[in-house]
Amino acid sequence: MVALLKMPSAFKIDPAERRLFARKEVHARVESRRLDHSIPARQQPQVSLALNDLSVGGLSAIANLPIEAGERIAVFFPPQGSNRGWDAYGRVIRCDPSHFGFRVAVEFDPIPAAA
């Protein structure tokens, strides 16, 4: 038998929040590679990212150089402790200048489900 739980009334969902996955605050440096064939991407293919937060759906970081919105990138997460390293591919949603570089939001490509 399945029991349905009623959500507590103190739990409010912000209708302006469009994220599907919870974000986790992360402070780490990762490397990325620009995948587009534009002149700026070919001139400076490597981008260093200082992560602010990370989720299954994407990341927020400070980049050392500007990246065009819509540009495709690959992000390389190095091994940490017993955790293996991993790669993610995605596209830049926005890139805005900030005091420390450029605030970048990246949406990861969906991973196909196993058959």
Side-chain angles (χ1 to χ4, degrees), residues 69-89:
E71 190 171 333
R72 309 235 356 106
I73 66 171
V75 183
F76 308 103
F77 295 87
Q80 290 187 332
S82 62
N83 296 332
R84 295 175 52 184
W86 55 286
D87 302 337
Y89 297 88

Side-chain angles (χ1 to χ4, degrees), residues 32-38 41 45 47 67-75 88-93 106-110:
S32 68
R33 190 178 79 231
R34 299 165 82 175
L35 302 175
D36 285 2
H37 298 292
S38 66
V47 179
I67 308 171
E68 289 293 321
E71 190 171 333
R72 309 235 356 106
I73 66 171
V75 183
Y89 297 88
R91 68 180 179 90
V92 175
I93 301 299
V106 176
E107 177 184 41
F108 295 145
D109 293 345

Side-chain angles (χ1 to χ4, degrees), residues 11-104:
F11 183 73
K12 302 285 187 219
I13 297 175
D14 182 3
E17 181 62 52
R18 297 181 309 221
R19 290 180 179 86
L20 298 175
F21 304 104
R23 292 179 290 173
K24 172 120 173 101
E25 189 173 323
V26 175
H27 297 288
R29 182 151 305 270
V30 296
E31 293 300 315
S32 68
R33 190 178 79 231
R34 299 165 82 175
L35 302 175
D36 285 2
H37 298 292
S38 66
I39 292 172
R42 291 296 185 170
Q43 288 175 337
Q44 296 177 309
Q46 300 296 105
V47 179
S48 181
L49 300 174
L51 292 179
N52 291 329
D53 61 60
L54 180 66
S55 77
V56 173
L59 63 82
S60 170
I62 301 293
N64 62 333
L65 54 97
I67 308 171
E68 289 293 321
E71 190 171 333
R72 309 235 356 106
I73 66 171
V75 183
F76 308 103
F77 295 87
Q80 290 187 332
S82 62
N83 296 332
R84 295 175 52 184
W86 55 286
D87 302 337
Y89 297 88
R91 68 180 179 90
V92 175
I93 301 299
R94 67 182 162 278
C95 180
D96 301 316
S98 77
H99 295 289
F100 304 108
F102 298 88
R103 285 188 57 86
V104 176

